[in-house]
Every structure is written in C-alpha cells, then in structure tokens.
C-alpha cells in the first residue's frame, strides 16, 4: 500500500479543518508515514504521529479561547479581528501594540494544552517522521527541525516555539526567543521532499489557488484545500470549529473519492444526457417564460436557450464562460439546494438530490401567478432573484435527470 507524507499548514483555530481531514484519511485507510507542520499544523501533527485521535477530537469539538489564552473577553474580541497571516511583520507588531500592553499575552493555557496532548516518548518510538518549523529570534535564524534534531525532553518547548506569535508574553525557551514558523514557511512540504517522500498530501487552511511549488515530476502532491473560508486564526468558536471539521472531512472525501459538486458532495456519476436532451426539446412557452423571468428584451428564438439563456445563467452563477453542460447542470441544482437550505455535509446520490430540488422548485413555481412572473418581474426583482426563479422554471421543466 502506498504511504504518504502529510504536510499541515499553520492557521490557529482553523486547524479544526485538519482534524476533519485526518478523520477522513483514517476512514479511507490512507497510511501516513511522516508528518510535518507549522504552528497549529505541528501540534495536530504531533497528535497524528502519536495516533491520539481522542485528544484532537476533544480539542476541536470543544474549542474555546481559554484553551489557548489567559485574557479577558474584551481583549480577546479585539485581537481576534487581527489578520495574522500578513508577512509584514512590523505592521503586525504595531497593530498588536495598539490592542494590548507590551508585556504580551499570557499563554499558560496553551502550554498546558501542549503538555496534555504531547507524548514525546511515543513520537520518538513511533517509527514515523515528524517535523516542524520555527524562527529563532535570538539567532535570527529560521529552523526546520525533525524529531531527531530536537534534544530529548525539549519537544514541548519546540511545539510552543513553532506557534509563538509576536504578541505572546516574551519568554525564553531553552534560553532563546522564538517566533511562529508561519513567518518563514507556513506549509513545509519541502521538508518531506528533502526526506525522500514522493507522495505527499498538503492540507491548506486558505481557499483559492496559491502559487504551486514545482518539486519535480517525481514528486506527487495531492492538495486538500478548504472549499469555503474557515474564519480567522483566532476565532476560537465551538460552532465554527465543528463546521470546519465537517468541511475538512468532506473536502478530503471529494479529493480521494473524486466526488462531483462544488458546494455539495455527490457520490455518484452525474449524467447530463437527459438534461441536455430536454433542453433541446424545450417548448416555446417555457422558453418565453425564461426570457421574461431573466428580463431579456429580445424575442425568444428556437436556439435562444443555448445562445441567450444559458450564457445569462452562467454569468448569474459566476461560472467560467467555457463551463461544460455537466458542470452547468450541477451548479444549477447546487444553487437551488443552497437556496432551499438543504443539508450540505452529506454524501448524496445526484439524481435523488436533483429530484428533491425539482420538487421544491416546482412548488415555488406554482406559488406565483403569471401576471407577477411575466409582467412585474423585470422591475421588482434583483438579478440574483431572477437567476433563482429562472433555475426553478428550468429544473421544473427538465423533470427527472436519471
């Protein structure tokens, strides 16, 4: 069986996402033989190497600020809004100075948390690689360390060092001052590459595409990236943490099981043939209704659905111009699923999901009278509402997608 290296980004409270990823990897039987991480990624990584699932379950399902910081709610609510991912170190320091006094924040709870989770002997005897990143301010030196580089009985200090933010209370660790490793390397995949790993799973804590590092054709990197923003690094909120666990779990299943969908998760083939056939067969009355709903002023033409309606809906759904009909169909049903508040974190069979959406859409279409829909809609409804109503007309007409 293929063995993977696991690279975990830093991101404070967003680390709940990584616990969801690990939960999915365990269920999928993905074998991890080495873990590297920065900041919270290193703390999660230590528990993963130990195989201590229960400790991370307790941490991320019951997350609160008092697990990390010994501060008042007033100060916490101020600093939680700070953007901690900025590389402009001097600007961050100035912002923090406006929020708290120069003595820094008491992080005794974080120290206790590390001690409660860490079993240094278990990590050293695990047979797995484990590494972290920090910055020695005393030496003005970045440090990428594997467990064999860390002296005996000092691992807890280095786990604290990798997460040491500039507004924490200034304390020496092993006689030196340290800084959070994210200011040097927030996703240390390179450490695994240098260790000889060729199959690596990267777990990001930001949405969007970063500049992907090319490690060479022999290095295979699987990216797991949040499909929606995770919140801020200091959002120690229990409900948000649990949502991020679910997101990490299902985003990982999407990658490894090749699930369809952008927002929802479809564990089945999506066949667009019936959808396209019905669109080609569209009658003049339905076509005219779509023109009116979308506020298109031109006269409906036989080819109008594909030449005018589809491009208008693609723009309304914020899809690329060259989106396939399959992806357009999925996006249409997902859009309505969100409108109707359908549960997101579930593995769906697409045809059944589409049937539930179609039933709700049909009821919505029947609610309005023709005069409201066909004569007043151009004036009184927003573009977003028009797109939703047009999709309801469309999926009601399409019928079954099986």
């Amino acid at each position: 069986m293929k063995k993977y290296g696991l690279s975990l980004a830093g991101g404070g409270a967003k680390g709940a996402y990584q616990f969801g990823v690990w939960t999915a990897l365990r269920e999928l039987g993905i074998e991890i033989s080495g873990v590297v991480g920065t900041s919270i990624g290193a703390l999660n990584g230590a528990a993963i190497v130990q195989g201590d699932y229960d400790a991370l379950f307790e941490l991320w399902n019951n997350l609160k600020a008092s697990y990390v910081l010994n501060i008042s709610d007033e100060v916490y609510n101020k600093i939680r809004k700070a953007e901690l991912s900025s590389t402009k170190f001097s600007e961050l320091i100035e912002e923090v100075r406006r929020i708290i006094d120069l003595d820094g924040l008491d992080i005794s709870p974080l120290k206790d948390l590390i001690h409660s989770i860490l079993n240094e002997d278990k990590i050293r005897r695990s047979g797995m690689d484990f590494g972290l990143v920090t910055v020695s301010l005393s030496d003005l030196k970045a440090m990428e360390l594997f467990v064999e580089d860390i002296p005996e009985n000092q691992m807890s200090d280095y786990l604290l060092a990798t997460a040491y933010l500039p507004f924490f209370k200034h304390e020496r660790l092993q006689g030196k001052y340290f800084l959070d490793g994210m200011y040097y390397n927030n996703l240390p995949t390179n450490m695994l590459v240098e260790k000889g790993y060729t199959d690596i799973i990267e777990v990001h804590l930001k949405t969007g595409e970063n500049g992907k590092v090319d490690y060479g054709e022999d290095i295979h990197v699987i990216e797991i990236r949040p499909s929606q923003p995770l919140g801020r690094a200091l959002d120690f909120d229990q409900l948000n943490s649990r949502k991020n666990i679910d997101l990490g779990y299902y985003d990982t299943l999407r990658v490894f099981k090749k699930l369809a969908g952008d927002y929802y998760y479809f564990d089945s083939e999506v066949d667009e043939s019936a959808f396209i056939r019905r669109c080609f067969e569209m009658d003049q009355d339905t076509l005219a209704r779509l023109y009116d709903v979308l506020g298109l002023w031109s006269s409906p033409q036989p080819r109008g659905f594909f030449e005018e309606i589809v491009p208008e809906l693609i723009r309304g759904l914020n899809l690329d111009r060259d989106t396939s009909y399959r992806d357009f169909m999925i996006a249409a049903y997902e859009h309505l699923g969100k409108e109707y508040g359908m549960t997101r974190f579930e593995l769906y069979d697409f045809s059944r999901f589409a049937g539930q959406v179609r039933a709700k859409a049909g009821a919505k279409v029947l609610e309005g009278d023709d005069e409201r829909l066909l004569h007043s809609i151009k004036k009184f409804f927003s573009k977003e509402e028009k797109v939703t109503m047009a999709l309801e007309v469309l999926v009601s007409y399409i019928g079954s997608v099986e």
Side-chain angles (χ1 to χ4, degrees), residues 201-239:
I201 301 168
E202 282 186 342
V203 184
H204 298 253
L205 294 179
K206 288 185 178 181
T207 57
E209 293 293 332
N210 296 348
K212 192 171 182 178
V213 179
D214 183 4
Y215 293 107
E217 61 181 18
D218 295 331
I219 308 300
H220 309 290
V221 177
I222 297 173
E223 287 188 305
I224 299 176
R225 189 181 296 273
S227 54
Q228 72 179 57
L230 302 177
R232 293 179 179 272
L234 292 176
D235 281 344
F236 298 110
D237 176 79
Q238 188 179 96
L239 291 179

Side-chain angles (χ1 to χ4, degrees), residues 32-33 46 48-51 119-130 147:
I32 305 297
S33 53
I48 290 172
V49 171
Q50 293 170 195
N119 185 326
E120 181 173 340
D121 184 58
K122 200 170 184 179
I123 289 177
R124 293 187 183 277
R125 291 188 291 103
S126 68
M128 296 175 64
D129 293 309
F130 174 61
V147 62

Side-chain angles (χ1 to χ4, degrees), residues 132-372:
L132 55 81
V133 182
T134 188
V135 177
S136 170
L137 290 178
S138 299
D139 300 322
L140 297 178
K141 177 185 177 182
M143 306 173 73
E144 295 181 336
L145 306 171
F146 278 99
V147 62
E148 59 267 25
D149 304 316
I150 299 173
E152 293 276 350
N153 302 316
Q154 293 185 21
M155 194 172 296
S156 61
D157 281 346
Y158 278 93
L159 281 175
L160 183 59
T162 186
Y164 216 100
L165 291 169
F167 47 79
F168 289 172
K169 185 173 291 185
H170 291 191
E171 296 180 8
R172 293 180 185 271
L173 301 171
Q174 304 302 323
K176 297 180 180 181
Y177 292 112
F178 289 91
L179 179 66
D180 193 306
M182 74 174 177
Y183 291 103
Y184 174 69
N185 185 358
N186 200 44
L187 187 64
T189 303
N190 61 291
M191 294 179 67
L192 291 171
V193 173
E194 292 160 11
K195 201 76 168 174
Y197 285 80
T198 57
D199 295 288
I200 299 170
I201 301 168
E202 282 186 342
V203 184
H204 298 253
L205 294 179
K206 288 185 178 181
T207 57
E209 293 293 332
N210 296 348
K212 192 171 182 178
V213 179
D214 183 4
Y215 293 107
E217 61 181 18
D218 295 331
I219 308 300
H220 309 290
V221 177
I222 297 173
E223 287 188 305
I224 299 176
R225 189 181 296 273
S227 54
Q228 72 179 57
L230 302 177
R232 293 179 179 272
L234 292 176
D235 281 344
F236 298 110
D237 176 79
Q238 188 179 96
L239 291 179
N240 190 60
S241 182
R242 292 178 178 179
K243 181 266 292 180
N244 288 341
I245 292 171
D246 285 336
L247 200 65
Y249 175 81
Y250 281 96
D251 283 351
T252 303
L253 293 186
R254 188 199 303 284
V255 170
F256 280 92
K257 298 184 74 171
K258 302 187 185 308
L259 304 181
D262 180 57
Y263 183 81
Y264 291 97
Y265 304 85
F266 301 121
D267 190 18
S268 59
E269 290 294 323
V270 179
D271 183 5
E272 73 271 36
S273 57
F275 180 87
I276 295 173
R277 184 179 66 252
R278 286 287 287 157
C279 290
F280 271 110
E281 298 169 350
M282 186 171 291
D283 60 87
Q284 190 68 14
D285 287 343
T286 301
L287 185 60
R289 192 178 184 89
L290 288 170
Y291 269 76
D292 279 309
V293 168
L294 289 171
L296 299 177
W297 296 96
S298 55
S299 299
Q301 301 296 321
R303 296 181 302 179
F305 178 77
F306 292 99
E307 294 182 358
E308 295 188 271
I309 299 296
V310 171
E312 186 72 15
L313 290 175
I314 283 176
R315 285 191 292 271
L317 292 169
N318 296 315
L319 303 175
D320 294 333
R321 292 178 61 184
D322 58 354
T323 294
S324 68
Y325 286 119
R326 175 183 180 276
D327 290 342
F328 167 65
M329 178 182 73
I330 293 173
Y333 284 98
E334 285 193 309
H335 176 88
L336 293 180
K338 286 187 280 186
E339 286 290 321
Y340 304 148
M342 293 176 64
T343 301
R344 180 181 188 185
F345 296 120
E346 182 176 332
L347 285 181
Y348 285 101
D349 175 90
F350 182 75
S351 62
R352 293 180 182 176
F353 178 87
Q356 295 174 34
V357 169
R358 176 167 49 84
K360 295 176 184 293
K364 288 283 187 180
V365 169
L366 291 174
E367 283 179 7
D369 58 70
D370 287 345
E371 182 178 357
R372 179 179 70 86

Side-chain angles (χ1 to χ4, degrees), residues 4-15:
Y4 291 89
L6 182 63
S7 179
L8 303 175
K14 293 185 284 187

